[in-house]
Amino acid sequence: MSGELLVVEDIHKAFGDLKVLKGISLAVAKRERKVIIGPSGTGKSTLLRCINRLTRPDRGKVWLDGVEITDSKKQISKIRQQIGMVFQHFNLFVHLSALDNVRVGLTDVKRMEKKEAVQKAMEVLDRVGLTDKKNYYPAELSGGQQQRVGIARAMAMDPKLILFDEPTSALDPELIGEVLNVMEELAGEGTTMLVVTHEMGFARTICDEIIFMEGGEILEQGPPEQFFTRPKNERTKRFLHKITELYGHGGEG
Ligand SMILES: Nc1ncnc2c1ncn2[C@@H]1O[C@H](COP(=O)(O)OP(=O)(O)OP(=O)(O)O)[C@@H](O)[C@H]1O
Ligand SMILES: [Mg+2]
């Protein structure tokens, strides 16, 4: 387990009779980027939610930096400060400006002085190219801009790891690139990332390992080169084929 920043061990989760996660184990080392792919309803979001404790797993454990965070005695807010989350539908505070969306976690959760927090929020907004939009409200921003605010909000907390749950799948195609560019920059800076996405170009070029989930289990995982050119599992092959049809670029290019 040493060297790993995030360790997920044998996570199970059911909603009533529906067994959604059936024993998921994975690990992400510091500075590593891993991508999770898999059909709809397979438990990808549930898995991310179990990692940052938005959902409580029925069984299994999660460690962050050697500390077991599934332990109910651990403070949830402490854990969430260390794990950033970027959502498909941005989940911004609609009544706060872009700047305040990024600043609020710093003052209200991290208890940073307002002046210092504003300065930090400005720096991060600058990194995602939104300095000129700092006073805009979410409704006044495009989807791509809103998602860049969402990423800035996660970055501002200096988390140990950022989870991304289909960060581009609610965006119009022409806006996807600006969000992927920001994510690529983060990856280049050594940010530890666990990303659920169907953007196979991103997966192929940026990530260290692809994890294919189906029916609440990990069916196959491996480095992108091997995964795309020599998938072992028939179901992986079929899924890659389908995703190529849907998104037009399965990873062959
Ligand atoms: N809070 C909940 N209560 C009941 N069922 C839930 C809950 N959350 C998720 N589920 C069910 O668990 C299954 C897995 O959902 P989940 O959102 O994790 O899938 P997913 O792989 O992220 O799918 P998608 O690709 O469509 O986002 C689905 O059948 C879903 O309806
Ligand atoms: Mg999902």
Side-chain angles (χ1 to χ4, degrees), residues 13-16 18-21 38-49 55 88 165-166 196 198 213:
K13 179 70 188 175
F15 295 105
L18 183 67
K19 291 197 175 94
V20 174
L21 298 178
S40 181
T42 233
K44 305 178 299 293
S45 297
T46 304
L47 174 63
L48 294 190
R49 294 168 64 85
T55 298
Q88 180 176 7
D165 192 359
E166 302 203 36
V196 175
H198 293 143
M213 262 178 81

